[in-house]
Amino acid sequence: MGDILIKNGFIATMDSERRIYPRGSVYISEGRIESVGKTVDVPRSPEFIINAEHKVVMPGFVNTHAHLQQYFRGVYELIGDFYGVNLPLEGYRRPEDMQYLGLASCAELVYGGSTTAVVIYTYPDGFAKAAEETGNRVVLGADVEEVDLEKLRSGVYEYIREKGEAAVRRAVNLYKDWHGKADGKITTIIAPKAADLVTVGTYLKCKELAEEFNLKMSTHLSQSWREVTQVKKLYGKTPTEHLKGLGVLNNRLMGAHCTYVTERELSLIREAGVSILHCRAVTNPLLRWLDQGIKVGFGTDDYHHDMLQLLREILWGAAARAKSEGGAEEMLASSRRTARPNFYELLELATRGGAEVLGLGEEIGSLEPGKKADVITVDLMNPFITPTRDPLTSIVLYGTPSDIDNVIVDGRILKLGGRLTSLDLEQALLKAQERVDEIIGRFFDDYPEQRKAWEEKVFHRK
Ligand SMILES: [Zn+2]
């Protein structure tokens, strides 16, 4: 793609100086940002010009934790139970599903302005092919877990060695086949699922691979009470203490959720330089993490990947927490409840903050000369947003993915004037729908009681 000039926009660079140009330009050449400023002294004529008048121009979102579980929509919300429906359903996915679901997932990420997304999935290979085709920047992890999902439904943990070995093989193959591919847009991480779902031997194998390949590790950490209980039962320790004992508690590790982390565990996390990935459990103590200097990234986790909606959930979660916690927690928050987390801080964590957590802060996450050109524009010309005296506050509070009208990844336009350019959206969605009907159909055939429960909800019989 040739040079692109974005001009006349409200430029929020999200750089460390927090530079904003109320009317400025960004010049993109050979996939990188060449210049940013009030007016850009254009060195030569660009092939493409985007007039960003009445638009915010900012770095794309860095979504630090996502799974491709869109096939749960309309099912899990109605009959959801993490161990009874979510995990067993994972066993119904097949590697070949991704050729059908992958394009729709790439479309969703671009549509919502996630120019980089960490995607952890059982069969990431098919998704990598889709991402290569559509031009998304993705950080892929092969989900490593080794429990009998069927038995886990009734709370029984049975570890299957071959399943763990196959998952580790997939992780190795993912690295070998895809790390650094698509002009560097596809990279990989090692992703042991959680301390209750992975045995010590497999966890240590994951650690070894992360060190050998020099990759980040992502794990679900104290996500559920069942995880905490099982880890205590097996090892007499909390999940964080257990991981410390395995030697994986270091700045390579990113812990998703951290919902049941105690104060003592938080100290261990801080001292070790572990990052926290803040997802939809919105009342988690975000401010406390930030105040302790822990690096935090935001992730949409599952179902749908709308980063603007996630920011609002995080905001409301922080407010609800301050109110409900009382005591010292409320004292800490009350004097600045309206001020923190402030709107700008949320956008910053969703862009540069996420990039730093992933170790990609030198390349993406802000609009700065030399960085890769991952840029979005947000159209302010809708009656929910304009009139406003602060476009950034307004997009955090009222913006939607359809306001994100242009998305550029690595200097290539993937969404232009609201339309996706690197895939046929309708075809991608229709194919995904067909596949989802098939996956859920097989699950319901094996679990007729779940079909019945779902039908009762859908047709409002109960
Ligand atoms: Zn997750």
Side-chain angles (χ1 to χ4, degrees):
M1 189 141 205
D3 292 5
I4 302 169
L5 171 66
I6 305 172
K7 62 176 191 181
N8 304 329
F10 184 100
I11 315 280
T13 65
M14 310 313 287
D15 67 6
S16 55
E17 302 290 316
R18 297 185 161 181
R19 270 180 276 247
I20 286 174
Y21 303 99
R23 192 174 172 85
S25 306
V26 178
Y27 193 89
I28 296 168
S29 183
E30 293 178 11
R32 291 190 183 263
I33 295 165
E34 193 170 284
S35 47
V36 184
K38 265 191 220 163
T39 52
V40 170
D41 194 11
V42 181
R44 50 191 173 275
S45 46
E47 273 78 4
F48 204 86
I49 296 175
I50 293 174
N51 184 5
E53 197 141 6
H54 309 301
K55 297 183 201 300
V56 165
V57 182
M58 58 178 279
F61 294 119
V62 179
N63 188 342
T64 60
H65 187 80
H67 311 286
L68 306 178
Q69 284 166 321
Q70 296 91 325
Y71 59 89
F72 284 170
R73 288 182 201 153
V75 175
Y76 189 70
E77 299 95 325
L78 296 176
I79 57 169
D81 172 87
F82 186 68
Y83 291 94
V85 175
N86 182 323
L87 286 178
L89 247 175
E90 289 192 8
Y92 282 76
R93 301 177 303 196
R94 293 169 178 157
E96 61 269 26
D97 290 337
M98 282 322 296
Q99 73 186 91
Y100 301 94
L101 300 176
L103 288 178
S105 300
C106 287
E108 182 180 19
L109 292 166
V110 172
Y111 198 80
S114 290
T115 49
T116 296
V118 176
V119 172
I120 297 166
Y121 190 71
T122 317
Y123 308 112
D125 195 63
F127 180 67
K129 284 179 195 148
E132 187 178 37
E133 188 181 330
T134 57
N136 290 50
R137 189 183 304 285
V138 289
V139 180
L140 298 180
D143 220 357
V144 175
E145 57 90 358
E146 52 187 333
V147 287
D148 184 325
L149 296 173
E150 175 54 35
K151 294 207 169 117
L152 195 61
R153 291 186 74 213
S154 44
V156 177
Y157 279 85
E158 191 176 304
Y159 298 94
I160 307 170
R161 178 193 286 258
E162 305 77 55
K163 195 180 177 193
E165 287 169 352
V168 168
R169 272 198 303 278
R170 279 199 296 272
V172 172
N173 289 339
L174 181 72
Y175 170 77
K176 291 190 170 158
D177 295 342
W178 288 104
H179 190 77
K181 292 288 162 64
D183 299 324
K185 290 198 297 298
I186 299 179
T187 52
T188 62
I189 53 171
I190 301 292
K193 199 174 183 97
D196 64 328
L197 304 174
V198 179
T199 59
V200 166
T202 304
Y203 232 111
L204 290 175
K205 184 71 199 161
C206 286
K207 176 193 172 207
E208 204 182 294
L209 292 175
E211 284 166 2
E212 186 187 338
F213 302 148
N214 192 24
L215 300 178
K216 286 268 182 184
M217 273 177 91
S218 182
T219 202
H220 296 88
L221 185 56
S222 283
Q223 179 183 11
S224 72
W225 189 244
R226 195 189 294 204
E227 172 199 332
V228 175
T229 309
Q230 172 69 2
V231 172
K232 276 188 179 161
K233 194 171 126 191
L234 286 177
Y235 313 112
K237 296 173 179 174
T238 64
T240 311
E241 290 163 349
H242 172 58
L243 295 189
K244 183 177 163 65
L246 296 184
V248 297
L249 214 63
N250 53 45
N251 62 7
R252 203 183 282 286
L253 188 72
M254 305 179 286
H257 303 288
C258 295
T259 303
Y260 296 97
V261 158
T262 62
E263 280 301 313
R264 187 183 128 63
E265 288 177 277
L266 202 55
S267 305
L268 297 177
I269 286 171
R270 188 187 61 244
E271 284 159 17
V274 174
S275 309
I276 295 180
L277 310 179
H278 189 37
C279 303
R280 293 194 183 276
V282 290
T283 56
N284 287 1
L286 171 66
L287 290 180
R288 197 181 301 181
W289 297 338
L290 294 174
D291 286 348
Q292 292 193 12
I294 295 169
K295 277 196 182 346
V296 177
F298 293 159
T300 50
D301 207 13
D302 36 28
Y303 313 124
H304 87 313
H305 303 302
D306 175 352
M307 289 292 282
L308 286 168
Q309 172 66 14
L310 179 69
L311 297 188
R312 291 191 281 270
E313 290 181 21
I314 288 169
L315 193 62
W316 297 325
R321 182 183 176 86
K323 217 167 221 163
S324 68
E325 283 294 304
E329 184 89 5
E330 192 177 13
M331 276 172 63
L332 184 74
S334 61
S335 62
R336 42 190 177 169
R337 192 180 300 157
T338 54
R340 298 192 65 226
N342 67 46
F343 308 117
Y344 186 87
E345 201 174 6
L346 287 170
L347 285 174
E348 197 166 55
L349 287 166
T351 53
R352 185 160 51 82
E356 284 169 3
V357 162
L358 297 178
L360 300 174
E362 295 291 313
E363 288 284 55
I364 57 167
S366 58
L367 304 183
E368 293 178 72
K371 280 200 174 182
K372 301 220 165 161
D374 289 6
V375 186
I376 62 174
T377 70
V378 188
D379 188 11
L380 302 173
M381 275 294 121
N382 86 48
F384 295 128
I385 293 181
T386 296
T388 178
R389 291 294 295 154
D390 179 16
L392 294 186
T393 297
S394 292
I395 63 174
V396 169
L397 286 173
Y398 317 118
T400 68
S402 53
D403 301 322
I404 299 170
D405 55 352
N406 298 299
V407 175
I408 298 170
V409 175
D410 220 40
R412 180 182 173 198
I413 299 174
L414 301 188
K415 191 179 186 188
L416 179 66
R419 298 185 75 84
L420 301 186
T421 58
S422 64
L423 55 83
D424 182 331
L425 181 62
E426 191 174 308
Q427 277 305 311
L429 295 183
L430 288 175
K431 278 188 176 169
Q433 180 67 56
E434 205 176 293
R435 196 66 180 182
V436 164
D437 291 343
E438 197 270 331
I439 295 171
I440 303 294
R442 276 190 287 121
F443 173 72
F444 280 159
D445 287 348
D446 289 349
Y447 295 93
E449 78 283 2
Q450 297 288 10
R451 184 196 296 274
K452 189 162 177 279
W454 176 77
E455 282 178 353
E456 280 171 353
K457 292 278 187 184
V458 169
F459 300 109
H460 305 286
R461 290 185 198 126
K462 269 194 181 163

